[in-house]
Amino acid sequence: MPTETSTGALRRLIEGFDRFRGQHFENDAELYDSLLEGQHPEVMVIACSDSRTDPAIICGARPGDLFVIRNVAALVPAYERDNRPHGTAAAIEFGVAALGVRHIVVLGHSFCAGVRCLLEHDHGRDRFAFVSDWVGVAQEVRDEMDGLVTEAERLLIARRAEQAAVLLSLRHLATYPFISERIREGRLSLHGWYFHFGWGTLQAAEGPRGPFRQVDPGEVPRAASG
């Protein structure tokens, strides 16, 4: 039988829902009345599943502001049609083709366990059956980092790899025909952001291959593409 200790996390979620209901449904009924008619987010965020980096919390977003896709390490596979299910690609397609988002933000972060798995994966053994295959989407990042890692530089290389994974996902996004077409027409822009939660800072990529530059308060960073 569950104990009070084991159910404490769930209790906090229910208490959080009660606060959410009071804030939005009771004090901001107009917002939810408008959302009943459908969602019209202008921004899609592709973020990591990490519990510490919720994009809505980081950005102070309201319900309806963001169309969010989350997966391990915020990775985007390159465009591929092979008649197999592709969850991330399906969500990207829906956000772009059905909802007409104007911006796609790839949001990476520091101390990412998914990127660490990519860098430290034993090529001869699968530590994780599914995670190891998934982070292989960023094989190019691992190849780039090979030979650079020493014990003294391990943390530095990890931060560099996390940013490189964001840039690779940006370049993969551009391989989707429905995205590249909208970029050419000026209807869509791509952004690469990096959240360092140890420092509480946000950096933005200035192009699909970087570099990253810190975003100052009140500043709207320019797109990496589009």
Side-chain angles (χ1 to χ4, degrees), residues 39-218:
Q39 58 171 321
H40 306 285
E42 293 188 34
V43 180
M44 173 194 297
V45 179
I46 302 170
C48 183
S49 300
D50 193 300
S51 61
R52 303 165 293 181
T53 57
D54 187 307
I57 293 175
I58 291 171
C59 299
R62 300 187 309 163
D65 284 348
L66 304 178
F67 183 74
V68 179
I69 303 167
R70 301 187 73 175
N71 62 43
V72 173
L75 297 178
V76 176
Y79 177 78
E80 183 180 18
R81 290 295 304 273
D82 57 7
N83 296 316
R84 299 178 64 185
H86 293 275
T88 295
I92 292 170
E93 180 183 42
F94 185 81
V96 173
L99 300 180
V101 298
R102 301 280 305 187
H103 306 274
I104 301 178
V105 176
V106 178
L107 177 63
H109 68 91
S110 60
F111 305 100
C112 180
V115 173
R116 185 171 69 246
C117 180
L118 170 70
L119 295 178
E120 298 179 354
H121 173 54
D122 184 338
H123 295 250
R125 296 182 299 169
D126 285 337
R127 180 182 176 190
F128 299 105
F130 296 105
V131 174
S132 296
D133 287 342
W134 171 250
V135 296
V137 166
Q139 174 71 40
E140 182 179 325
V141 172
R142 183 163 62 198
D143 292 344
E144 181 182 344
M145 300 301 143
D146 275 351
L148 298 179
V149 179
T150 68
E151 288 301 321
E153 297 175 326
R154 188 169 296 277
L155 290 178
L156 176 63
I157 295 300
R159 303 293 81 78
R160 179 173 172 180
E162 289 156 357
Q163 294 186 343
V166 170
L167 299 176
L168 180 62
S169 287
L170 286 178
R171 298 196 296 273
H172 281 175
L173 279 169
T175 65
Y176 289 73
F178 55 86
I179 289 178
S180 60
E181 176 185 4
R182 285 168 171 79
I183 291 174
R184 287 195 303 271
E185 295 172 351
R187 295 190 286 148
L188 181 65
S189 59
L190 307 182
H191 307 260
W193 292 0
Y194 179 75
F195 171 53
H196 196 303
F197 63 79
W199 298 339
T201 58
L202 183 69
Q203 297 178 331
E206 296 192 317
R209 294 190 178 274
F212 282 83
R213 186 175 64 82
Q214 184 163 318
V215 179
D216 294 325

